PDB file of all heavy atoms in Angstrom:
ATOM      1  N   THR J  13     -55.500 -41.388  -1.602  1.00 97.00           N
ATOM      2  CA  THR J  13     -54.620 -41.603  -0.461  1.00 97.00           C
ATOM      3  C   THR J  13     -55.167 -42.739   0.404  1.00 97.00           C
ATOM      4  O   THR J  13     -56.360 -42.796   0.700  1.00 97.00           O
ATOM      5  CB  THR J  13     -54.437 -40.302   0.358  1.00 97.00           C
ATOM      6  OG1 THR J  13     -53.533 -40.535   1.413  1.00 97.00           O
ATOM      7  CG2 THR J  13     -55.742 -39.806   0.936  1.00 97.00           C
ATOM      8  N   GLU J  32     -47.502 -61.838   2.950  1.00 95.00           N
ATOM      9  CA  GLU J  32     -47.639 -62.885   1.948  1.00 95.00           C
ATOM     10  C   GLU J  32     -48.908 -62.625   1.140  1.00 95.00           C
ATOM     11  O   GLU J  32     -49.928 -62.237   1.714  1.00 95.00           O
ATOM     12  CB  GLU J  32     -47.763 -64.262   2.620  1.00 95.00           C
ATOM     13  CG  GLU J  32     -46.460 -64.820   3.120  1.00 95.00           C
ATOM     14  CD  GLU J  32     -45.526 -65.166   1.974  1.00 95.00           C
ATOM     15  OE1 GLU J  32     -45.893 -66.015   1.131  1.00 95.00           O
ATOM     16  OE2 GLU J  32     -44.434 -64.570   1.918  1.00 95.00           O
ATOM     17  N   PRO J  33     -48.876 -62.836  -0.168  1.00 95.00           N
ATOM     18  CA  PRO J  33     -50.075 -62.580  -0.979  1.00 95.00           C
ATOM     19  C   PRO J  33     -51.294 -63.323  -0.424  1.00 95.00           C
ATOM     20  O   PRO J  33     -51.190 -64.471   0.005  1.00 95.00           O
ATOM     21  CB  PRO J  33     -49.702 -63.121  -2.359  1.00 95.00           C
ATOM     22  CG  PRO J  33     -48.210 -63.025  -2.398  1.00 95.00           C
ATOM     23  CD  PRO J  33     -47.739 -63.259  -0.991  1.00 95.00           C
ATOM     24  N   VAL J  37     -56.855 -61.188   3.989  1.00 97.00           N
ATOM     25  CA  VAL J  37     -58.172 -61.227   3.345  1.00 97.00           C
ATOM     26  C   VAL J  37     -59.182 -62.047   4.147  1.00 97.00           C
ATOM     27  O   VAL J  37     -58.808 -62.925   4.926  1.00 97.00           O
ATOM     28  CB  VAL J  37     -58.100 -61.841   1.923  1.00 97.00           C
ATOM     29  CG1 VAL J  37     -57.458 -60.879   0.951  1.00 97.00           C
ATOM     30  CG2 VAL J  37     -57.370 -63.159   1.937  1.00 97.00           C
ATOM     31  N   PRO J  45     -70.015 -64.060  -2.145  1.00 92.00           N
ATOM     32  CA  PRO J  45     -71.452 -63.733  -2.198  1.00 92.00           C
ATOM     33  C   PRO J  45     -72.090 -63.919  -0.824  1.00 92.00           C
ATOM     34  O   PRO J  45     -71.690 -64.809  -0.064  1.00 92.00           O
ATOM     35  CB  PRO J  45     -72.031 -64.746  -3.195  1.00 92.00           C
ATOM     36  CG  PRO J  45     -70.881 -65.447  -3.805  1.00 92.00           C
ATOM     37  CD  PRO J  45     -69.669 -65.212  -2.977  1.00 92.00           C
ATOM     38  N   VAL J  56     -64.601 -42.576   8.481  1.00 98.00           N
ATOM     39  CA  VAL J  56     -65.429 -41.362   8.448  1.00 98.00           C
ATOM     40  C   VAL J  56     -64.698 -40.241   9.201  1.00 98.00           C
ATOM     41  O   VAL J  56     -64.597 -39.106   8.729  1.00 98.00           O
ATOM     42  CB  VAL J  56     -66.804 -41.635   9.086  1.00 98.00           C
ATOM     43  CG1 VAL J  56     -67.645 -40.374   9.120  1.00 98.00           C
ATOM     44  CG2 VAL J  56     -67.516 -42.749   8.332  1.00 98.00           C
ATOM     45  N   GLY J 114     -47.343 -14.470  -7.142  1.00 95.00           N
ATOM     46  CA  GLY J 114     -48.268 -14.426  -5.999  1.00 95.00           C
ATOM     47  C   GLY J 114     -48.811 -15.809  -5.673  1.00 95.00           C
ATOM     48  O   GLY J 114     -48.255 -16.824  -6.077  1.00 95.00           O
ATOM     49  N   LYS J 116     -52.200 -18.591  -5.309  1.00 97.00           N
ATOM     50  CA  LYS J 116     -53.506 -18.904  -5.891  1.00 97.00           C
ATOM     51  C   LYS J 116     -54.114 -20.091  -5.163  1.00 97.00           C
ATOM     52  O   LYS J 116     -53.400 -20.850  -4.494  1.00 97.00           O
ATOM     53  CB  LYS J 116     -53.379 -19.194  -7.379  1.00 97.00           C
ATOM     54  CG  LYS J 116     -52.699 -20.520  -7.701  1.00 97.00           C
ATOM     55  CD  LYS J 116     -52.481 -20.672  -9.176  1.00 97.00           C
ATOM     56  CE  LYS J 116     -53.517 -21.565  -9.833  1.00 97.00           C
ATOM     57  NZ  LYS J 116     -53.181 -21.860 -11.250  1.00 97.00           N
ATOM     58  N   ALA J 129     -58.603 -51.428  -4.574  1.00 95.00           N
ATOM     59  CA  ALA J 129     -58.682 -52.722  -5.253  1.00 95.00           C
ATOM     60  C   ALA J 129     -57.420 -53.520  -4.939  1.00 95.00           C
ATOM     61  O   ALA J 129     -56.493 -53.006  -4.318  1.00 95.00           O
ATOM     62  CB  ALA J 129     -58.801 -52.491  -6.748  1.00 95.00           C
ATOM     63  N   VAL J 133     -50.269 -59.015 -10.539  1.00 89.00           N
ATOM     64  CA  VAL J 133     -48.830 -59.181 -10.705  1.00 89.00           C
ATOM     65  C   VAL J 133     -48.594 -59.962 -11.992  1.00 89.00           C
ATOM     66  O   VAL J 133     -48.977 -61.122 -12.098  1.00 89.00           O
ATOM     67  CB  VAL J 133     -48.221 -59.953  -9.500  1.00 89.00           C
ATOM     68  CG1 VAL J 133     -46.711 -60.016  -9.609  1.00 89.00           C
ATOM     69  CG2 VAL J 133     -48.645 -59.310  -8.187  1.00 89.00           C
ATOM     70  N   ASN J 146     -54.609 -58.600  -0.956  1.00 96.00           N
ATOM     71  CA  ASN J 146     -54.305 -57.954   0.331  1.00 96.00           C
ATOM     72  C   ASN J 146     -54.747 -56.488   0.392  1.00 96.00           C
ATOM     73  O   ASN J 146     -55.141 -56.000   1.436  1.00 96.00           O
ATOM     74  CB  ASN J 146     -52.799 -58.020   0.634  1.00 96.00           C
ATOM     75  CG  ASN J 146     -52.368 -59.398   1.109  1.00 96.00           C
ATOM     76  OD1 ASN J 146     -53.218 -60.276   1.296  1.00 96.00           O
ATOM     77  ND2 ASN J 146     -51.082 -59.605   1.291  1.00 96.00           N
ATOM     78  N   PRO J 151     -58.978 -48.613   3.030  1.00 98.00           N
ATOM     79  CA  PRO J 151     -59.745 -47.388   2.805  1.00 98.00           C
ATOM     80  C   PRO J 151     -58.961 -46.334   2.028  1.00 98.00           C
ATOM     81  O   PRO J 151     -57.775 -46.121   2.280  1.00 98.00           O
ATOM     82  CB  PRO J 151     -60.046 -46.879   4.218  1.00 98.00           C
ATOM     83  CG  PRO J 151     -59.089 -47.563   5.109  1.00 98.00           C
ATOM     84  CD  PRO J 151     -58.693 -48.844   4.455  1.00 98.00           C
ATOM     85  N   ALA J 195     -51.589 -40.221  -7.863  1.00 97.00           N
ATOM     86  CA  ALA J 195     -52.411 -39.213  -8.528  1.00 97.00           C
ATOM     87  C   ALA J 195     -52.806 -39.635  -9.935  1.00 97.00           C
ATOM     88  O   ALA J 195     -51.987 -40.175 -10.687  1.00 97.00           O
ATOM     89  CB  ALA J 195     -51.650 -37.896  -8.591  1.00 97.00           C
ATOM     90  N   ASP J 196     -54.085 -39.392 -10.269  1.00 96.00           N
ATOM     91  CA  ASP J 196     -54.519 -39.483 -11.660  1.00 96.00           C
ATOM     92  C   ASP J 196     -54.424 -38.064 -12.203  1.00 96.00           C
ATOM     93  O   ASP J 196     -55.002 -37.138 -11.638  1.00 96.00           O
ATOM     94  CB  ASP J 196     -55.971 -39.967 -11.763  1.00 96.00           C
ATOM     95  CG  ASP J 196     -56.146 -41.370 -11.194  1.00 96.00           C
ATOM     96  OD1 ASP J 196     -55.127 -42.053 -10.956  1.00 96.00           O
ATOM     97  OD2 ASP J 196     -57.304 -41.780 -10.986  1.00 96.00           O
ATOM     98  N   ILE J 320     -39.105 -25.917   4.029  1.00 95.00           N
ATOM     99  CA  ILE J 320     -38.598 -27.293   3.978  1.00 95.00           C
ATOM    100  C   ILE J 320     -38.918 -28.032   5.277  1.00 95.00           C
ATOM    101  O   ILE J 320     -39.367 -29.178   5.242  1.00 95.00           O
ATOM    102  CB  ILE J 320     -37.088 -27.297   3.670  1.00 95.00           C
ATOM    103  CG1 ILE J 320     -36.915 -26.821   2.225  1.00 95.00           C
ATOM    104  CG2 ILE J 320     -36.484 -28.686   3.890  1.00 95.00           C
ATOM    105  CD1 ILE J 320     -35.542 -26.880   1.676  1.00 95.00           C
ATOM    106  N   LYS J 342     -32.496 -21.338  15.737  1.00 96.00           N
ATOM    107  CA  LYS J 342     -31.561 -21.079  14.622  1.00 96.00           C
ATOM    108  C   LYS J 342     -30.614 -22.256  14.425  1.00 96.00           C
ATOM    109  O   LYS J 342     -30.477 -22.769  13.316  1.00 96.00           O
ATOM    110  CB  LYS J 342     -30.745 -19.809  14.909  1.00 96.00           C
ATOM    111  CG  LYS J 342     -31.456 -18.530  14.494  1.00 96.00           C
ATOM    112  CD  LYS J 342     -30.813 -17.957  13.241  1.00 96.00           C
ATOM    113  CE  LYS J 342     -31.834 -17.333  12.314  1.00 96.00           C
ATOM    114  NZ  LYS J 342     -32.198 -15.979  12.617  1.00 96.00           N
ATOM    115  N   SER J 359     -27.375 -41.107   1.894  1.00 96.00           N
ATOM    116  CA  SER J 359     -27.788 -42.505   2.092  1.00 96.00           C
ATOM    117  C   SER J 359     -29.133 -42.778   1.422  1.00 96.00           C
ATOM    118  O   SER J 359     -29.695 -43.857   1.571  1.00 96.00           O
ATOM    119  CB  SER J 359     -27.898 -42.793   3.593  1.00 96.00           C
ATOM    120  OG  SER J 359     -28.859 -41.925   4.174  1.00 96.00           O
ATOM    121  N   ASN J 378     -26.504 -29.246  22.064  1.00 96.00           N
ATOM    122  CA  ASN J 378     -26.153 -28.743  23.402  1.00 96.00           C
ATOM    123  C   ASN J 378     -24.703 -29.054  23.765  1.00 96.00           C
ATOM    124  O   ASN J 378     -24.029 -28.254  24.407  1.00 96.00           O
ATOM    125  CB  ASN J 378     -27.086 -29.337  24.453  1.00 96.00           C
ATOM    126  CG  ASN J 378     -28.447 -28.640  24.444  1.00 96.00           C
ATOM    127  OD1 ASN J 378     -28.597 -27.569  23.840  1.00 96.00           O
ATOM    128  ND2 ASN J 378     -29.433 -29.244  25.087  1.00 96.00           N
ATOM    129  N   LYS J 423      -3.168 -25.376  29.008  1.00 87.00           N
ATOM    130  CA  LYS J 423      -2.021 -24.480  29.062  1.00 87.00           C
ATOM    131  C   LYS J 423      -0.700 -25.247  28.966  1.00 87.00           C
ATOM    132  O   LYS J 423       0.197 -24.860  28.210  1.00 87.00           O
ATOM    133  CB  LYS J 423      -2.062 -23.669  30.365  1.00 87.00           C
ATOM    134  CG  LYS J 423      -1.186 -22.437  30.313  1.00 87.00           C
ATOM    135  CD  LYS J 423      -1.507 -21.523  31.480  1.00 87.00           C
ATOM    136  CE  LYS J 423      -0.546 -20.353  31.507  1.00 87.00           C
ATOM    137  NZ  LYS J 423      -0.852 -19.426  32.605  1.00 87.00           N
ATOM    138  N   ILE J 426       0.040 -26.190  25.438  1.00 90.00           N
ATOM    139  CA  ILE J 426       0.421 -25.049  24.609  1.00 90.00           C
ATOM    140  C   ILE J 426       1.848 -24.576  24.957  1.00 90.00           C
ATOM    141  O   ILE J 426       2.625 -24.220  24.079  1.00 90.00           O
ATOM    142  CB  ILE J 426      -0.600 -23.900  24.753  1.00 90.00           C
ATOM    143  CG1 ILE J 426      -1.993 -24.385  24.286  1.00 90.00           C
ATOM    144  CG2 ILE J 426      -0.193 -22.692  23.911  1.00 90.00           C
ATOM    145  CD1 ILE J 426      -3.102 -23.379  24.410  1.00 90.00           C
ATOM    146  N   ALA J 431       7.502 -23.884  23.411  1.00 90.00           N
ATOM    147  CA  ALA J 431       8.899 -24.223  23.654  1.00 90.00           C
ATOM    148  C   ALA J 431       9.545 -24.895  22.450  1.00 90.00           C
ATOM    149  O   ALA J 431      10.720 -24.679  22.149  1.00 90.00           O
ATOM    150  CB  ALA J 431       8.998 -25.124  24.885  1.00 90.00           C
ATOM    151  N   ASN J 432       8.740 -25.704  21.726  1.00 90.00           N
ATOM    152  CA  ASN J 432       9.301 -26.473  20.609  1.00 90.00           C
ATOM    153  C   ASN J 432       9.293 -25.733  19.271  1.00 90.00           C
ATOM    154  O   ASN J 432       9.711 -26.268  18.262  1.00 90.00           O
ATOM    155  CB  ASN J 432       8.537 -27.786  20.431  1.00 90.00           C
ATOM    156  CG  ASN J 432       8.769 -28.720  21.607  1.00 90.00           C
ATOM    157  OD1 ASN J 432       9.768 -28.566  22.329  1.00 90.00           O
ATOM    158  ND2 ASN J 432       7.857 -29.644  21.820  1.00 90.00           N
ATOM    159  N   PRO J 464     -11.587 -25.708  23.054  1.00 79.00           N
ATOM    160  CA  PRO J 464     -12.222 -24.654  22.267  1.00 79.00           C
ATOM    161  C   PRO J 464     -11.145 -23.745  21.671  1.00 79.00           C
ATOM    162  O   PRO J 464     -10.204 -23.359  22.390  1.00 79.00           O
ATOM    163  CB  PRO J 464     -13.071 -23.891  23.287  1.00 79.00           C
ATOM    164  CG  PRO J 464     -12.946 -24.597  24.584  1.00 79.00           C
ATOM    165  CD  PRO J 464     -11.928 -25.673  24.479  1.00 79.00           C
TER     166      PRO J 464
END
Side-chain angles (χ1 to χ4, degrees):
T13 183
E32 283 293 300
V37 287
V56 177
K116 71 186 259 188
V133 185
N146 283 355
D196 298 347
I320 291 186
K342 275 253 144 84
S359 60
N378 282 346
K423 198 167 175 178
I426 299 178
N432 292 339

